[in-house]
Amino acid sequence: MASRQNMSFDNGHGYLAMPPSGRGPGLIVIQEWWGLDDHIADVTDRFAAEGFVALAPDLYGGRVVHETSDAARLARELPVGEAVDLLSSAVDHLLAMDEVTGDRVGAVGFCMGGAFVLTLAARAGEKIAAAVPFYGGAGESPDFGNLKAQIMGHYGEKDQSIPVDSLPDLKAAIERDSGITPTFHIYPAGHAFFNDQRPSYHEESARLAWDRTLEFLRANLAG
């Protein structure tokens, strides 16, 4: 069984889940706009059970909301620079842990967190080997020139928030700036299809995206 704890690091705190072996590749798990809620904690636990030292930073300082209007407000009020600073500190914390194997980590994010995955990977450079945005756009269109991570994205063909016809431009920007070609998978689902606590959940798509993500992370974080 994975062990879990709330923990602090420079600039913030978060939820840490350790694998049964006590050691493994490091993985940052980035929340949706609802906050670091039970769903994100559960996903973090699931990654730990699969062998990762998984850390979900808390971007809202302990606040969790359930209404769309509240989530939209908190997301608007969150300064992108400060959030990426906090996420970068979480990356450094993982890399400094004796329990984390390797000298690079992975990052997975959902919705708002999917956009932060790309922004974080663009800033962190060599520190991140694999980045997995779930229905996350490019945020404020970061410069991907420093990007070193391989990228696999998961998107719903019925998503009104991140329409699939926006993905070619995102792919082109990543390729142009970094020379890395991302892989984007499209599913017969809408936005937030991975969140099993929401009506948008699509079990078949979520299961396939999970399996693909695990395979991708293991391939890029091996050693």
Side-chain angles (χ1 to χ4, degrees):
M1 177 181 293
S3 63
R4 64 196 72 167
Q5 59 180 299
N6 294 318
M7 50 83 64
S8 298
F9 51 87
D10 288 347
N11 297 341
H13 63 275
Y15 179 82
L16 178 70
M18 298 294 296
S21 68
R23 288 176 56 81
L27 182 67
I28 297 293
V29 181
I30 310 179
Q31 68 188 57
E32 295 176 301
W33 68 351
W34 310 107
L36 207 174
D37 58 9
D38 291 343
H39 169 64
I40 294 300
D42 177 66
V43 171
T44 306
D45 287 342
R46 289 173 60 188
F47 277 121
E50 294 291 341
F52 297 92
V53 177
L55 171 59
D58 187 347
L59 296 178
Y60 287 168
R63 291 173 294 178
V64 172
V65 296
H66 303 284
E67 299 296 330
T68 299
S69 59
D70 294 329
R73 175 179 54 80
L74 287 181
R76 285 194 307 269
E77 293 174 352
L78 179 64
V80 172
E82 290 182 14
V84 179
D85 285 345
L86 186 151
L87 294 170
S88 297
S89 292
V91 169
D92 290 339
H93 182 86
L94 277 183
L95 289 173
M97 291 178 62
D98 292 338
E99 297 87 351
V100 171
T101 58
D103 57 2
R104 305 175 74 191
V105 302
V108 178
F110 303 87
C111 184
M112 178 186 79
F116 276 126
V117 161
L118 294 174
T119 306
L120 174 64
R123 175 186 289 192
E126 295 283 0
K127 295 178 182 179
I128 295 183
V132 185
F134 277 73
Y135 28 86
E140 296 186 355
S141 299
D143 178 356
F144 293 106
N146 195 43
L147 179 75
K148 305 300 181 185
Q150 296 300 309
I151 296 174
M152 173 185 284
H154 304 291
Y155 298 87
E157 65 183 11
K158 303 172 186 177
D159 191 339
Q160 301 299 310
S161 301
I162 310 293
V164 293
D165 60 11
S166 69
L167 298 180
D169 287 344
L170 176 58
K171 181 178 180 180
I174 292 171
E175 289 180 328
R176 180 190 65 239
D177 292 350
S178 70
I180 292 171
T181 299
T183 298
F184 292 149
H185 294 293
I186 311 299
Y187 301 84
H191 191 70
F193 66 81
F194 190 78
N195 191 332
D196 58 8
Q197 297 183 12
R198 295 282 166 181
S200 54
Y201 178 61
H202 190 268
E203 182 177 2
E204 182 178 356
S205 298
R207 184 169 57 248
L208 179 55
W210 176 254
D211 289 343
R212 284 170 166 168
T213 296
L214 290 177
E215 181 180 5
F216 177 75
L217 291 173
R218 287 169 176 153
N220 286 283
L221 297 176

Tab-separated table of all heavy atoms in Angstrom, residues 92-145:
chain	number	residue	atom	x	y	z
A	92	ASP	N	12.000	20.814	-7.610
A	92	ASP	CA	13.298	20.784	-6.929
A	92	ASP	C	13.233	19.947	-5.655
A	92	ASP	O	14.199	19.241	-5.312
A	92	ASP	CB	13.755	22.202	-6.594
A	92	ASP	CG	14.143	23.002	-7.836
A	92	ASP	OD1	14.445	22.384	-8.881
A	92	ASP	OD2	14.139	24.253	-7.755
A	93	HIS	N	12.101	20.023	-4.956
A	93	HIS	CA	11.954	19.235	-3.730
A	93	HIS	C	12.001	17.741	-4.050
A	93	HIS	O	12.684	16.967	-3.361
A	93	HIS	CB	10.644	19.580	-3.034
A	93	HIS	CG	10.436	18.857	-1.747
A	93	HIS	ND1	10.931	19.303	-0.544
A	93	HIS	CD2	9.801	17.687	-1.480
A	93	HIS	CE1	10.612	18.455	0.407
A	93	HIS	NE2	9.926	17.463	-0.129
A	94	LEU	N	11.280	17.332	-5.087
A	94	LEU	CA	11.311	15.921	-5.468
A	94	LEU	C	12.726	15.482	-5.829
A	94	LEU	O	13.202	14.424	-5.397
A	94	LEU	CB	10.387	15.666	-6.664
A	94	LEU	CG	8.902	15.455	-6.399
A	94	LEU	CD1	8.187	15.151	-7.707
A	94	LEU	CD2	8.652	14.328	-5.402
A	95	LEU	N	13.407	16.285	-6.633
A	95	LEU	CA	14.747	15.911	-7.086
A	95	LEU	C	15.747	15.825	-5.935
A	95	LEU	O	16.760	15.118	-6.039
A	95	LEU	CB	15.237	16.902	-8.141
A	95	LEU	CG	14.532	16.820	-9.488
A	95	LEU	CD1	14.963	17.956	-10.401
A	95	LEU	CD2	14.803	15.469	-10.160
A	96	ALA	N	15.469	16.519	-4.844
A	96	ALA	CA	16.362	16.486	-3.687
A	96	ALA	C	16.065	15.321	-2.749
A	96	ALA	O	16.849	15.062	-1.822
A	96	ALA	CB	16.275	17.804	-2.919
A	97	MET	N	14.956	14.623	-2.976
A	97	MET	CA	14.580	13.522	-2.088
A	97	MET	C	15.406	12.279	-2.390
A	97	MET	O	15.548	11.876	-3.551
A	97	MET	CB	13.087	13.196	-2.246
A	97	MET	CG	12.151	14.264	-1.727
A	97	MET	SD	10.392	13.841	-1.993
A	97	MET	CE	10.257	12.333	-0.996
A	98	ASP	N	15.913	11.652	-1.351
A	98	ASP	CA	16.678	10.411	-1.526
A	98	ASP	C	15.813	9.296	-2.114
A	98	ASP	O	16.323	8.390	-2.779
A	98	ASP	CB	17.242	9.945	-0.177
A	98	ASP	CG	18.320	10.880	0.358
A	98	ASP	OD1	18.922	11.619	-0.452
A	98	ASP	OD2	18.539	10.875	1.582
A	99	GLU	N	14.519	9.374	-1.874
A	99	GLU	CA	13.615	8.323	-2.337
A	99	GLU	C	13.305	8.414	-3.823
A	99	GLU	O	12.722	7.481	-4.412
A	99	GLU	CB	12.293	8.381	-1.555
A	99	GLU	CG	12.442	8.120	-0.069
A	99	GLU	CD	12.773	9.374	0.722
A	99	GLU	OE1	13.061	10.424	0.108
A	99	GLU	OE2	12.727	9.317	1.973
A	100	VAL	N	13.646	9.528	-4.449
A	100	VAL	CA	13.368	9.717	-5.875
A	100	VAL	C	14.543	9.221	-6.699
A	100	VAL	O	15.683	9.641	-6.497
A	100	VAL	CB	13.074	11.205	-6.185
A	100	VAL	CG1	13.012	11.449	-7.689
A	100	VAL	CG2	11.765	11.620	-5.520
A	101	THR	N	14.261	8.328	-7.622
A	101	THR	CA	15.291	7.779	-8.487
A	101	THR	C	15.430	8.638	-9.743
A	101	THR	O	14.460	9.233	-10.213
A	101	THR	CB	14.950	6.346	-8.897
A	101	THR	OG1	13.677	6.329	-9.563
A	101	THR	CG2	14.867	5.441	-7.670
A	102	GLY	N	16.627	8.700	-10.282
A	102	GLY	CA	16.852	9.475	-11.490
A	102	GLY	C	17.045	10.946	-11.201
A	102	GLY	O	16.802	11.425	-10.083
A	103	ASP	N	17.461	11.673	-12.221
A	103	ASP	CA	17.720	13.106	-12.069
A	103	ASP	C	16.734	13.963	-12.848
A	103	ASP	O	16.963	15.149	-13.064
A	103	ASP	CB	19.152	13.439	-12.501
A	103	ASP	CG	19.453	13.008	-13.931
A	103	ASP	OD1	18.540	12.473	-14.610
A	103	ASP	OD2	20.597	13.189	-14.375
A	104	ARG	N	15.617	13.368	-13.260
A	104	ARG	CA	14.550	14.095	-13.925
A	104	ARG	C	13.222	13.555	-13.423
A	104	ARG	O	13.138	12.408	-12.971
A	104	ARG	CB	14.642	13.946	-15.454
A	104	ARG	CG	15.993	14.349	-16.021
A	104	ARG	CD	16.077	14.059	-17.517
A	104	ARG	NE	15.305	15.021	-18.282
A	104	ARG	CZ	15.029	14.871	-19.585
A	104	ARG	NH1	15.428	13.796	-20.232
A	104	ARG	NH2	14.345	15.798	-20.221
A	105	VAL	N	12.190	14.371	-13.483
A	105	VAL	CA	10.870	13.951	-13.014
A	105	VAL	C	9.858	14.081	-14.144
A	105	VAL	O	10.142	14.611	-15.215
A	105	VAL	CB	10.422	14.776	-11.791
A	105	VAL	CG1	11.420	14.649	-10.659
A	105	VAL	CG2	10.202	16.246	-12.164
A	106	GLY	N	8.656	13.592	-13.868
A	106	GLY	CA	7.540	13.761	-14.783
A	106	GLY	C	6.532	14.744	-14.218
A	106	GLY	O	6.572	15.090	-13.025
A	107	ALA	N	5.618	15.201	-15.065
A	107	ALA	CA	4.556	16.103	-14.629
A	107	ALA	C	3.271	15.754	-15.367
A	107	ALA	O	3.286	15.580	-16.596
A	107	ALA	CB	4.925	17.560	-14.888
A	108	VAL	N	2.187	15.636	-14.614
A	108	VAL	CA	0.863	15.349	-15.159
A	108	VAL	C	-0.095	16.390	-14.599
A	108	VAL	O	-0.061	16.695	-13.402
A	108	VAL	CB	0.385	13.941	-14.768
A	108	VAL	CG1	-1.019	13.676	-15.314
A	108	VAL	CG2	1.347	12.876	-15.263
A	109	GLY	N	-0.948	16.954	-15.452
A	109	GLY	CA	-1.903	17.956	-14.972
A	109	GLY	C	-3.222	17.855	-15.692
A	109	GLY	O	-3.304	17.360	-16.816
A	110	PHE	N	-4.255	18.372	-15.037
A	110	PHE	CA	-5.620	18.219	-15.525
A	110	PHE	C	-6.298	19.584	-15.651
A	110	PHE	O	-6.279	20.376	-14.708
A	110	PHE	CB	-6.409	17.334	-14.557
A	110	PHE	CG	-5.770	15.980	-14.356
A	110	PHE	CD1	-4.788	15.811	-13.384
A	110	PHE	CD2	-6.118	14.912	-15.156
A	110	PHE	CE1	-4.178	14.582	-13.201
A	110	PHE	CE2	-5.512	13.672	-14.987
A	110	PHE	CZ	-4.541	13.503	-14.012
A	111	CYS	N	-6.895	19.853	-16.813
A	111	CYS	CA	-7.617	21.110	-17.051
A	111	CYS	C	-6.662	22.289	-16.831
A	111	CYS	O	-5.666	22.409	-17.537
A	111	CYS	CB	-8.847	21.162	-16.152
A	111	CYS	SG	-9.919	22.590	-16.393
A	112	MET	N	-6.915	23.133	-15.867
A	112	MET	CA	-5.984	24.212	-15.549
A	112	MET	C	-4.582	23.663	-15.319
A	112	MET	O	-3.579	24.231	-15.764
A	112	MET	CB	-6.466	24.957	-14.304
A	112	MET	CG	-5.544	26.080	-13.835
A	112	MET	SD	-6.079	26.814	-12.257
A	112	MET	CE	-5.479	25.575	-11.097
A	113	GLY	N	-4.513	22.536	-14.634
A	113	GLY	CA	-3.228	21.900	-14.381
A	113	GLY	C	-2.563	21.390	-15.641
A	113	GLY	O	-1.331	21.284	-15.703
A	114	GLY	N	-3.366	21.057	-16.664
A	114	GLY	CA	-2.787	20.644	-17.932
A	114	GLY	C	-2.033	21.773	-18.610
A	114	GLY	O	-0.962	21.570	-19.189
A	115	ALA	N	-2.594	22.972	-18.513
A	115	ALA	CA	-1.887	24.137	-19.052
A	115	ALA	C	-0.612	24.402	-18.263
A	115	ALA	O	0.441	24.715	-18.837
A	115	ALA	CB	-2.803	25.362	-19.022
A	116	PHE	N	-0.695	24.258	-16.937
A	116	PHE	CA	0.492	24.474	-16.105
A	116	PHE	C	1.578	23.430	-16.370
A	116	PHE	O	2.767	23.725	-16.232
A	116	PHE	CB	0.118	24.486	-14.625
A	116	PHE	CG	-0.380	25.824	-14.140
A	116	PHE	CD1	-1.594	25.938	-13.502
A	116	PHE	CD2	0.385	26.966	-14.320
A	116	PHE	CE1	-2.051	27.172	-13.052
A	116	PHE	CE2	-0.056	28.214	-13.882
A	116	PHE	CZ	-1.274	28.309	-13.240
A	117	VAL	N	1.190	22.220	-16.743
A	117	VAL	CA	2.189	21.206	-17.091
A	117	VAL	C	3.087	21.713	-18.214
A	117	VAL	O	4.321	21.595	-18.162
A	117	VAL	CB	1.512	19.889	-17.508
A	117	VAL	CG1	2.469	19.016	-18.308
A	117	VAL	CG2	1.052	19.111	-16.288
A	118	LEU	N	2.467	22.275	-19.247
A	118	LEU	CA	3.244	22.752	-20.389
A	118	LEU	C	4.106	23.950	-20.005
A	118	LEU	O	5.271	24.045	-20.402
A	118	LEU	CB	2.300	23.108	-21.534
A	118	LEU	CG	1.537	21.929	-22.145
A	118	LEU	CD1	0.526	22.425	-23.179
A	118	LEU	CD2	2.488	20.922	-22.777
A	119	THR	N	3.540	24.875	-19.233
A	119	THR	CA	4.301	26.048	-18.805
A	119	THR	C	5.461	25.652	-17.903
A	119	THR	O	6.582	26.159	-18.043
A	119	THR	CB	3.382	27.044	-18.080
A	119	THR	OG1	2.267	27.360	-18.913
A	119	THR	CG2	4.119	28.331	-17.756
A	120	LEU	N	5.204	24.731	-16.979
A	120	LEU	CA	6.249	24.257	-16.075
A	120	LEU	C	7.353	23.556	-16.852
A	120	LEU	O	8.545	23.804	-16.617
A	120	LEU	CB	5.646	23.311	-15.043
A	120	LEU	CG	6.645	22.618	-14.103
A	120	LEU	CD1	7.367	23.632	-13.233
A	120	LEU	CD2	5.922	21.568	-13.253
A	121	ALA	N	6.986	22.675	-17.761
A	121	ALA	CA	7.992	21.947	-18.534
A	121	ALA	C	8.831	22.900	-19.372
A	121	ALA	O	10.043	22.704	-19.540
A	121	ALA	CB	7.319	20.903	-19.417
A	122	ALA	N	8.196	23.944	-19.893
A	122	ALA	CA	8.937	24.924	-20.689
A	122	ALA	C	9.956	25.660	-19.843
A	122	ALA	O	11.044	26.000	-20.310
A	122	ALA	CB	7.961	25.913	-21.332
A	123	ARG	N	9.624	25.914	-18.570
A	123	ARG	CA	10.566	26.615	-17.696
A	123	ARG	C	11.625	25.669	-17.143
A	123	ARG	O	12.807	26.029	-17.050
A	123	ARG	CB	9.838	27.271	-16.520
A	123	ARG	CG	10.837	27.892	-15.548
A	123	ARG	CD	10.191	28.426	-14.279
A	123	ARG	NE	9.402	29.616	-14.525
A	123	ARG	CZ	8.946	30.395	-13.530
A	123	ARG	NH1	9.228	30.098	-12.272
A	123	ARG	NH2	8.220	31.453	-13.810
A	124	ALA	N	11.237	24.466	-16.764
A	124	ALA	CA	12.132	23.585	-16.013
A	124	ALA	C	13.209	22.948	-16.876
A	124	ALA	O	14.209	22.467	-16.349
A	124	ALA	CB	11.320	22.505	-15.305
A	125	GLY	N	13.012	22.905	-18.174
A	125	GLY	CA	14.039	22.363	-19.056
A	125	GLY	C	14.407	20.928	-18.744
A	125	GLY	O	13.557	20.039	-18.699
A	126	GLU	N	15.698	20.684	-18.480
A	126	GLU	CA	16.219	19.330	-18.289
A	126	GLU	C	15.644	18.623	-17.062
A	126	GLU	O	15.767	17.400	-16.937
A	126	GLU	CB	17.749	19.374	-18.160
A	126	GLU	CG	18.486	19.825	-19.402
A	126	GLU	CD	18.563	18.725	-20.454
A	126	GLU	OE1	18.039	17.616	-20.199
A	126	GLU	OE2	19.142	18.978	-21.523
A	127	LYS	N	15.033	19.348	-16.152
A	127	LYS	CA	14.542	18.728	-14.922
A	127	LYS	C	13.311	17.856	-15.160
A	127	LYS	O	12.994	16.996	-14.335
A	127	LYS	CB	14.210	19.798	-13.883
A	127	LYS	CG	15.415	20.586	-13.398
A	127	LYS	CD	14.999	21.657	-12.408
A	127	LYS	CE	16.206	22.487	-11.940
A	127	LYS	NZ	15.788	23.547	-10.987
A	128	ILE	N	12.593	18.089	-16.261
A	128	ILE	CA	11.376	17.327	-16.541
A	128	ILE	C	11.572	16.520	-17.818
A	128	ILE	O	11.848	17.074	-18.882
A	128	ILE	CB	10.152	18.245	-16.650
A	128	ILE	CG1	9.883	18.914	-15.297
A	128	ILE	CG2	8.928	17.474	-17.119
A	128	ILE	CD1	8.670	19.792	-15.262
A	129	ALA	N	11.390	15.208	-17.695
A	129	ALA	CA	11.593	14.310	-18.824
A	129	ALA	C	10.310	13.984	-19.564
A	129	ALA	O	10.340	13.657	-20.747
A	129	ALA	CB	12.244	13.007	-18.344
A	130	ALA	N	9.170	14.064	-18.874
A	130	ALA	CA	7.893	13.677	-19.473
A	130	ALA	C	6.794	14.583	-18.945
A	130	ALA	O	6.673	14.782	-17.736
A	130	ALA	CB	7.571	12.224	-19.154
A	131	ALA	N	5.994	15.131	-19.851
A	131	ALA	CA	4.904	16.036	-19.477
A	131	ALA	C	3.607	15.532	-20.105
A	131	ALA	O	3.566	15.261	-21.308
A	131	ALA	CB	5.206	17.459	-19.951
A	132	VAL	N	2.559	15.417	-19.273
A	132	VAL	CA	1.291	14.850	-19.736
A	132	VAL	C	0.149	15.796	-19.385
A	132	VAL	O	-0.365	15.784	-18.262
A	132	VAL	CB	1.042	13.470	-19.105
A	132	VAL	CG1	-0.234	12.846	-19.691
A	132	VAL	CG2	2.233	12.541	-19.318
A	133	PRO	N	-0.274	16.640	-20.325
A	133	PRO	CA	-1.455	17.469	-20.086
A	133	PRO	C	-2.741	16.725	-20.441
A	133	PRO	O	-2.864	16.168	-21.535
A	133	PRO	CB	-1.243	18.663	-21.027
A	133	PRO	CG	-0.419	18.105	-22.151
A	133	PRO	CD	0.417	17.001	-21.573
A	134	PHE	N	-3.678	16.681	-19.503
A	134	PHE	CA	-5.027	16.206	-19.777
A	134	PHE	C	-5.888	17.433	-20.059
A	134	PHE	O	-6.072	18.291	-19.193
A	134	PHE	CB	-5.598	15.459	-18.577
A	134	PHE	CG	-5.191	14.010	-18.477
A	134	PHE	CD1	-3.906	13.661	-18.096
A	134	PHE	CD2	-6.103	13.003	-18.746
A	134	PHE	CE1	-3.536	12.337	-17.978
A	134	PHE	CE2	-5.746	11.664	-18.631
A	134	PHE	CZ	-4.450	11.326	-18.250
A	135	TYR	N	-6.392	17.545	-21.271
A	135	TYR	CA	-7.244	18.652	-21.726
A	135	TYR	C	-6.762	19.989	-21.195
A	135	TYR	O	-7.511	20.763	-20.597
A	135	TYR	CB	-8.726	18.409	-21.367
A	135	TYR	CG	-8.983	17.547	-20.145
A	135	TYR	CD1	-9.027	18.083	-18.864
A	135	TYR	CD2	-9.186	16.177	-20.288
A	135	TYR	CE1	-9.263	17.286	-17.763
A	135	TYR	CE2	-9.425	15.363	-19.189
A	135	TYR	CZ	-9.459	15.927	-17.923
A	135	TYR	OH	-9.698	15.142	-16.830
A	136	GLY	N	-5.480	20.256	-21.434
A	136	GLY	CA	-4.882	21.531	-21.054
A	136	GLY	C	-4.331	22.245	-22.271
A	136	GLY	O	-3.664	21.633	-23.107
A	137	GLY	N	-4.633	23.528	-22.390
A	137	GLY	CA	-4.108	24.324	-23.495
A	137	GLY	C	-2.729	24.871	-23.169
A	137	GLY	O	-2.051	24.398	-22.252
A	138	ALA	N	-2.341	25.892	-23.893
A	138	ALA	CA	-0.999	26.456	-23.724
A	138	ALA	C	-0.957	27.595	-22.726
A	138	ALA	O	0.072	28.242	-22.581
A	138	ALA	CB	-0.474	26.933	-25.071
A	139	GLY	N	-2.058	27.849	-22.028
A	139	GLY	CA	-2.064	28.939	-21.061
A	139	GLY	C	-1.762	30.263	-21.740
A	139	GLY	O	-2.424	30.654	-22.696
A	140	GLU	N	-0.743	30.942	-21.266
A	140	GLU	CA	-0.362	32.227	-21.836
A	140	GLU	C	0.709	32.066	-22.920
A	140	GLU	O	1.583	32.897	-23.083
A	140	GLU	CB	0.125	33.157	-20.725
A	140	GLU	CG	-0.955	33.493	-19.715
A	140	GLU	CD	-0.505	34.518	-18.700
A	140	GLU	OE1	0.678	34.909	-18.710
A	140	GLU	OE2	-1.348	34.948	-17.899
A	141	SER	N	0.628	30.948	-23.652
A	141	SER	CA	1.520	30.683	-24.788
A	141	SER	C	2.989	30.854	-24.416
A	141	SER	O	3.666	31.776	-24.869
A	141	SER	CB	1.169	31.610	-25.966
A	141	SER	OG	-0.153	31.387	-26.386
A	142	PRO	N	3.502	29.963	-23.560
A	142	PRO	CA	4.901	30.097	-23.149
A	142	PRO	C	5.853	29.861	-24.316
A	142	PRO	O	5.507	29.236	-25.315
A	142	PRO	CB	5.051	28.987	-22.102
A	142	PRO	CG	4.014	27.979	-22.473
A	142	PRO	CD	2.856	28.783	-22.983
A	143	ASP	N	7.054	30.362	-24.161
A	143	ASP	CA	8.134	30.069	-25.094
A	143	ASP	C	8.635	28.662	-24.782
A	143	ASP	O	9.089	28.395	-23.669
A	143	ASP	CB	9.247	31.104	-24.924
A	143	ASP	CG	10.440	30.845	-25.839
A	143	ASP	OD1	10.444	29.831	-26.557
A	143	ASP	OD2	11.372	31.655	-25.820
A	144	PHE	N	8.554	27.759	-25.742
A	144	PHE	CA	8.951	26.379	-25.515
A	144	PHE	C	10.417	26.134	-25.864
A	144	PHE	O	10.844	24.990	-25.961
A	144	PHE	CB	8.064	25.439	-26.339
A	144	PHE	CG	6.629	25.403	-25.895
A	144	PHE	CD1	5.644	26.038	-26.649
A	144	PHE	CD2	6.257	24.763	-24.729
A	144	PHE	CE1	4.323	26.011	-26.256
A	144	PHE	CE2	4.943	24.740	-24.318
A	144	PHE	CZ	3.965	25.357	-25.079
A	145	GLY	N	11.203	27.183	-26.010
A	145	GLY	CA	12.589	27.032	-26.422
A	145	GLY	C	13.437	26.247	-25.442
A	145	GLY	O	14.423	25.614	-25.841
